[in-house]
Amino acid sequence: MSDWLNILQDPNVQWILFGCMLLGLSSGVIGSFAYLRKQSLMGDALSHAALPGVCIAFMLSGSKSIALFLVGAAAAGLAATFGIGYITRHTRIKQDSALAIVLTVFFGLGIVLLTQIQHSGNGNQSGLDKFLFGQAASMLLSDVRIMAVISLFLIGVCTLLFKEFKLLSFDPGFARGIGYPVAFMDQLIMFLIVVAVVVGIQAVGVVLMAALLITPAVSARYWTEKLGLMVVLAGAFGALSGLVGTFISANGNNLPTGPLTVLVATSLFVVSVVAAPRRGVLSKLLLRAYVRNKLRGEQEKSVLQAERKETTV
Amino acid sequence: MHASPLTIRDLSVAYQKKPVLQGVTFTVPEGKLIGIVGPNGAGKSTLIKAALGLIPRLSGDVSIYGKPYAAQRKLVGYVPQRESVDWDFPTNALDVVTMGRYGHLGWFKRPGSAERKIAMECLAKVGMEAYADRQISQLSGGQQQRIFLARALAQDAKLYFMDEPFVGVDAATEKAIVTLLNELKKQGKTVLVVHHDLATVKEYFDWVMLLNVNLIEFGPTEMTFTADNLQRTYGGRLTMLDRDTSSTLIMNGR
């Protein structure tokens, strides 16, 4: 126990924990909209597509700068969404298959590039392989600062455009009818997902980033019927997952952060599925039992009444 | 000159290669309830969506009160098909109706008590004020349809487009919708309704548009809704039971 507390007192660890918490928060928030717009897999495709973008950004610049990675990942994400859109529109292939094709191509390309970089002998490349599954411990204070700024930007945009994003998620046709630039806002949400992916690339890695986008949102949906509360809850679940996952990872056993964070997020999800009021499994079982008993009680009562009538007659 | 609520010139729309609408031209008179009638795949919903710019058109020109739609959005209300959205969305009835005010609110601004008051009044107009706090997936199909109507009312428009509002609703909702349509008409508003039930066309609508890819006929119901015109629209797939009027119709195979 004292070991844990010692770790917590390390300012470096405090920063990293803070960064991962912000990451979980922002990905939970934007993930809520992705989930409600039925774009859960899009998050997966975008995070896998980010890998070649980041690799190319590194190859061209030779430096590990988050800003350049963001540009690379955004360009790759744009190419991926365009590819998916093009395949869906111009062939008979449905969106799920198009997603699978594009996702794997980009990820394959990313792995090839990543391997190429590792063999190139560039001294600066160490740590790039951690982009697959994340290693929060390798983050520097400067990384955390940039993560914090980007996360706040993301949460700020979602707060300002909450009303617009809500309508876009619920009824895009109506949104277009009243003059919202729906195509632009679609792209904006995609871009925000890419932003979340890039923020998470060091801490969680591209492979499992989608889980941090979607799982907190799905868990939050179980607890509430209000979008505002759902977004806040998803952010909180994400933040908690990031915090606990990073903490276990930083606790010295050198486990990658991404898988641990995902496992924490999934535990929260399981708790939500079982225990959530109204939508949860447990509550549904209880409700059914209650209704059954009530029904039986009423039937018995009516039978009794009928018997009583007979006896009086 | 007084501009018509809706003028469409030479509108054509195609999905892939096949034209869904071809050279449709008409001018809508103000203050009428207009039914749009035609067989499946005749382009009824497409007409509405193309007029609202929801789908791209091949050619044609839409003007609303004399100006392009982009300049007149606040004058137009829209009721989409009920199935076009996922009703298991985390929100309640009042919130959906409040969305009708978003077009008037402008960017970034949150709906406040003024918007909620308008939304509540619109809910009352469709007889749903008791359900304001109800999660929308807990509503019946007819109630969901009424929520969509209330949202369109909250838009406070002059010209309304409604896409199959009578589909799959109970008798109470059908009656509520008809009452509402007549009230809109009394306020001088113009309503275009995609409709599928030929038996009620004469009862509900002042004007009728017969559509089957091309515009077959458009005019006052008593003059336009004739057995002859219907045969032309449905391509002889209708059987008339009633000799004097065409109020009783049976679809002959699909």
Side-chain angles (χ1 to χ4, degrees), chain A residues 279-313:
Chain A
R279 287 183 162 248
V281 175
L282 214 60
S283 130
K284 276 191 179 152
L285 282 178
L286 286 175
L287 182 72
R288 195 172 301 162
Y290 167 75
V291 171
R292 194 185 296 135
N293 282 339
K294 203 175 141 197
L295 197 69
R296 199 174 291 155
E298 274 166 13
Q299 278 170 345
E300 277 167 11
K301 211 186 283 170
S302 59
V303 170
L304 278 177
Q305 275 170 351
E307 281 173 359
R308 209 171 295 149
K309 258 184 209 158
E310 271 176 27
T311 50
T312 47
V313 170

Side-chain angles (χ1 to χ4, degrees), chain A residues 38 159 163 166 177 279, chain B residues 69 86 88 95 106 110 151:
Chain A
K38 314 208 183 306
T159 314
K163 169 184 84 179
K166 180 204 274 186
R279 287 183 162 248
Chain B
Y69 176 51
D86 176 10
D88 191 29
D95 205 35
R110 295 289 174 86
R151 180 175 70 171

